[in-house]
């Protein structure tokens, strides 16, 4: 732990190469004179026959200092490995003992967040103070009940005990704003998402329903299951960036759509499905299948009321040479009382209205004819309608929450405005 979390520290970037169960040091993240964080590959890493770029074109495999674009404070593919709102609250709770409400206003050096967050972060990277000795920041074994209790203390701004701190640290390196942790169970790895004290409806169960329906309509979505802890719901999302082999666990490289689109955090509003489709057409290993998958995800986000589909909620695997969509994740229906809604990413041009007719306008960007696009949409509407009640039953979703979500988040009439009537509507 640092004595002064604001103090600049050297942060060495370690990487799990494809198929490897142990990391190697790739280079150094340091602060340049203009305040931005720059990266420099190590000579030993460049000399390796199996070395890969952490993400090309942003950090191409070459000698010398590599600075981010002038718009960015640090390379975006490195920022992908840094914690977001929830992880930062936990870290500040540990280092400062500050109340949760003041956590957002407290500014730490970005390297402090990288170095203080858990080592089992999403993707293939980790960050260390040493260039020669890798020491994982391991969490203390804890039950779901203990992890949920820890999350509740952070939400309330109560400092964690050393034991609970170590237990919850494991989940600080994953993104998102809601309480969560990482757990291992039954030889698999999961992200555990907890209910929050401010939830007005069962957000955890709503996400379960959306993820299960997504798989039923044919989307490649991460497997999920529901558990209970301290009388509250917990959503377990199986991780897709880890693979168990005889020698241990391998890690798969992941870059967010924000990185693919060469955008900074402050530019997220400029991200669009149209530009992401362009990246897929030109750079992905299987563009046709990936374009169809992305179109299906766009349609499903509209049909399930997930308007939080920002560029960090889309990602691609990176193995040093090829890109491919990860399974879908964070499909979270948003509470809605009115009709009109907009997606977090624009769909075509500046149009981000949550309407299927806008998807039809964009179909050509996914190499789909209007007829093919209508057929995909009609299929989703049919499957969602047919399986809504069985999946809600599986989740144990209350009738009150079903009424709140159906026809509002799921299959809101606004989605069908301007869309051919024979393609389906709320029944």
């Amino acid at each position: 732990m640092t004595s002064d979390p604001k103090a600049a520290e050297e942060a060495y970037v370690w990487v799990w190469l494809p198929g490897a169960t142990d990391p190697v040091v790739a280079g150094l993240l340091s602060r340049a004179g203009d305040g931005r964080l720059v990266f420099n590959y190590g000579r030993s890493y460049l000399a390796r026959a199996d070395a890969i770029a952490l993400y090309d074109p942003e950090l191409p495999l070459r000698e010398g200092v590599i600075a981010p674009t002038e718009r960015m404070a640090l390379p975006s593919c490195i920022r992908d490995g840094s914690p977001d709102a929830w992880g930062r609250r936990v870290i500040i709770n540990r280092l400062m003992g500050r109340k949760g409400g003041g956590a957002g206003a407290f500014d730490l050096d970005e390297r402090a967040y990288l170095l203080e967050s858990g080592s089992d972060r999403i993707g293939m990277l980790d960050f260390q103070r040493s260039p020669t000795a890798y020491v994982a920041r391991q969490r203390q074994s804890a039950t779901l009940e203990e992890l949920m209790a820890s999350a509740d203390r952070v939400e309330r701004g109560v400092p964690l005990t050393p034991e609970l701190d170590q237990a919850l640290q494991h989940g600080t390196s994953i993104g998102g704003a809601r309480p969560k942790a990482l757990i291992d169970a039954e030889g698999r790895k999961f992200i555990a998402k907890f209910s929050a004290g401010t939830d007005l409806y069962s957000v955890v169960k709503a996400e379960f329903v959306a993820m299960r329906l997504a798989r039923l309509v044919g989307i490649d979505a991460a497997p999920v299951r529901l558990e209970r802890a301290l009388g509250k719901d917990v959503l377990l999302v199986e991780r897709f960036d880890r693979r168990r082999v005889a020698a241990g666990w391998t890690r798969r490289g992941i870059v967010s759509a924000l990185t693919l689109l060469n955008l900074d955090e402050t530019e997220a509003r400029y991200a669009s499905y149209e530009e992401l489709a362009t990246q897929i057409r030109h750079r992905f290993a299987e563009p046709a299948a990936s374009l169809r998958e992305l179109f299906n995800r766009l349609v499903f986000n509209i049909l399930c009321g997930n308007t939080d589909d920002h560029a960090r909620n889309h990602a691609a695997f990176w193995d040093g040479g090829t890109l491919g969509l990860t399974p879908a994740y964070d499909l979270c229906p948003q509470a809605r009382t009115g009709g009109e809604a907009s997606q977090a990413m624009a769909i075509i041009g500046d149009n981000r209205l949550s309407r299927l007719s806008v998807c039809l306008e964009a179909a050509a960007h996914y190499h789909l004819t209007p007829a093919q696009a209508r057929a995909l949409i009609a299929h989703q509407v049919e499957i969602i309608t047919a399986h809504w009640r069985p999946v809600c039953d599986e989740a144990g979703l209350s009738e009150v929450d079903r009424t709140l979500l159906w026809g509002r988040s799921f299959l809101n009439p606004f989605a069908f405005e301007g869309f051919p009537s024979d393609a389906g509507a709320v029944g």
Side-chain angles (χ1 to χ4, degrees), residues 120-184:
D120 199 11
R121 69 190 69 244
I122 300 300
M124 64 180 179
L125 304 181
D126 193 22
F127 306 90
Q128 299 277 308
R129 294 179 174 87
S130 170
T132 56
Y134 179 82
V135 181
R137 293 177 291 283
Q138 301 287 3
R139 93 286 195 198
Q140 181 170 313
S141 180
T143 65
L144 276 177
E145 287 79 6
E146 289 170 326
L147 290 169
M148 178 170 278
S150 302
D152 180 66
R153 289 174 71 96
V154 171
E155 279 200 291
R156 291 186 289 114
V158 178
L160 294 169
T161 65
E163 295 76 21
L164 291 178
D165 174 32
Q166 291 183 33
L168 197 60
Q169 183 197 39
H170 198 47
T172 55
S173 54
I174 51 181
R178 292 182 57 81
K180 59 179 66 69
L182 299 177
I183 66 168
D184 299 346

